[in-house]
């Protein structure tokens, strides 16, 4: 897992053809908006999250965010333990995000 700033996130995702963005916030939080092209898998729904992760390609580059960066850091750690090679945690989370919103 690597913690990255919103500027690093924008630069990396713009040039990464192997990127997968995952939003681990709750449904209520997602209703406020989300980063474009993000998949939503609520970390507070662990069975659903684990089932979704089991289906994902572990060789892709995963960009994970939540509201402030704590839950997404936990998600990155879980994914690394499961064998995912590259995970990035958005420092400050969606609350600090100033890019495009879907």
């Amino acid at each position: 897992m690597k913690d990255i700033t919103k500027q690093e996130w924008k630069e990396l995702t713009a040039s990464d053809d192997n990127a997968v963005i995952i939003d681990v916030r709750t449904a209520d939080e997602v209703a406020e908006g989300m980063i474009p092209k993000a998949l939503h898998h609520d970390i507070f729904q662990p069975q659903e999250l684990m089932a979704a992760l089991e289906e994902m390609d572990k060789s892709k580059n995963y960009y994970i965010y939540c509201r402030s960066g704590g839950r997404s850091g936990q998600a990155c750690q879980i994914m690394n333990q499961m064998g995912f090679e590259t995970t990035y945690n958005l420092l400050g989370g969606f609350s600090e995000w100033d890019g495009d919103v879907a």
Side-chain angles (χ1 to χ4, degrees):
M1 172 183 84
K2 181 177 181 189
D3 291 322
I4 59 174
T5 65
K6 61 188 173 188
Q7 189 58 43
E8 289 172 308
W9 174 290
K10 291 173 191 174
E11 292 168 7
L12 288 168
T13 57
S15 62
D16 187 347
D17 293 332
N18 213 21
V20 177
I21 300 171
I22 302 176
D23 182 333
V24 296
R25 298 176 300 156
T26 65
D28 286 344
E29 290 170 316
V30 168
E32 300 169 11
M34 59 195 299
I35 295 174
K37 300 181 184 170
L39 304 174
H40 176 237
H41 298 295
D42 185 346
I43 198 166
F44 291 140
Q45 303 292 329
Q47 290 177 321
E48 292 172 23
L49 175 63
M50 296 305 285
L53 293 176
E54 290 290 343
E55 300 296 317
M56 293 183 190
D57 182 346
K58 290 180 173 54
S59 68
K60 290 194 177 288
N61 301 324
Y62 290 89
Y63 296 81
I64 319 298
Y65 73 96
C66 62
R67 181 184 293 274
S68 62
R71 287 173 283 169
S72 50
Q74 292 175 335
C76 287
Q77 290 175 339
I78 291 166
M79 293 174 75
N80 292 148
Q81 290 169 356
M82 292 175 69
F84 286 84
E85 297 168 18
T86 308
T87 58
Y88 297 102
N89 178 41
L90 178 60
L91 290 170
F94 192 75
S95 62
E96 298 285 322
W97 181 249
D98 62 1
D100 293 339
V101 175

